[in-house]
Amino acid sequence: WQCGGRVGQGDPSPVLPHTPCEETFASPSPSARWGTGCHPTTRLCLEWLSDAIQGGEHVLDFGCGSGVLAAGALALGASKATAVDVDAEALVVAAANLELNGVEQRAELLHVREVVPGGLVPPADVVVANILVGQLVRPSMVCSLCANLAPGGLLCLSGVRPHEIGSLKEAYGTWVEWEDRMYAEADPGVGGEAYWGTWARLVGRRVATPEQTAMLSEHAVS
């Protein structure tokens, strides 16, 4: 990619360099309407994955679109990626991009209807959801993401504006402890006028108690 973006929390930050995953996997076709990796939130997630993936993780990419994040995670050393989307055609595009990058044998593609709380075995070590806030705060979405993340695993949420972070913290606060040092913001950079405004990334670590398990079950049917 040749897509710029700045990361920081209000202080001047340099244009993001190519992340390791950008150097090791092919970007999807620009014609794919589900994303080419140039959106600031995609870059925020890729940058974070380049630090979070140490090797051998199971990554859940929820709302995978063209499969950029799943392919990036596998290129960085994840052992498996589960890519989920509500759009069946997006899953076809994601499958093609995973094959393009030679990582399709370590990927599983699922329609959102196939994902149930606790249904991933083993659960994911890392969950990435780059989706608009209206979907992210739904109780059923909270349940789908958190119940399929192993205790101690990391949850990365993006696709949101900085002023929406409070809503996310309220929706997910029961299930995760926030890693404030991993919070970041990005703007579109030069040539990114189509992605107007500043975007944000929020990261938390899953905690689990018996009470939370019961509450997740309630959310699953809400």
Side-chain angles (χ1 to χ4, degrees):
W1 295 304
Q2 299 296 322
C3 306
R6 290 188 296 131
V7 173
Q9 299 184 50
D11 57 333
S13 304
V15 174
L16 282 176
H18 291 297
T19 63
C21 44
E22 288 178 272
E23 297 169 355
T24 55
F25 83 96
S27 60
S29 166
S31 64
R33 74 173 187 265
W34 296 276
T36 61
C38 292
H39 194 282
T41 59
T42 309
R43 292 183 58 79
L44 281 170
C45 292
L46 286 170
E47 182 206 27
W48 178 78
L49 284 170
S50 70
D51 290 328
I53 299 299
Q54 301 298 308
E57 294 89 350
H58 176 196
V59 176
L60 171 60
D61 177 7
F62 205 103
C64 66
S66 58
V68 171
L69 299 181
L74 291 169
L76 287 162
S79 62
K80 179 182 179 179
T82 301
V84 178
D85 206 280
V86 69
D87 192 318
E89 192 174 351
L91 292 172
V92 173
V93 174
N97 285 320
L98 289 162
E99 184 176 1
L100 172 68
N101 286 279
V103 294
E104 73 279 3
Q105 293 186 357
R106 291 185 285 137
E108 180 182 22
L109 291 100
L110 298 174
H111 190 273
V112 68
R113 294 195 187 109
E114 300 177 86
V115 180
V116 297
L120 293 188
V121 181
D125 304 296
V126 174
V127 172
V128 182
N130 187 17
I131 312 172
L132 295 176
V133 69
Q135 295 297 315
L136 284 174
V137 298
R138 293 176 59 188
S140 58
M141 177 67 74
V142 174
C143 182
S144 293
L145 299 182
C146 293
N148 285 305
L149 178 61
L154 289 168
L155 171 69
C156 176
L157 304 175
S158 195
V160 299
R161 305 292 192 173
H163 71 270
E164 296 169 330
I165 291 299
S167 296
L168 289 180
K169 286 190 172 183
E170 181 178 355
Y172 289 83
T174 303
W175 321 113
V176 301
E177 293 179 348
W178 299 111
E179 298 279 353
D180 290 335
R181 64 186 176 83
M182 299 183 187
Y183 176 81
E185 296 178 2
D187 67 32
V190 178
E193 291 81 5
Y195 310 128
W196 176 85
T198 302
W199 300 84
R201 176 188 75 211
L202 184 65
V203 178
R205 189 175 298 275
R206 170 78 198 279
V207 294
T209 68
E211 291 78 14
Q212 290 170 353
T213 301
M215 293 176 71
L216 281 168
S217 298
E218 293 177 9
H219 283 319
V221 296
S222 65

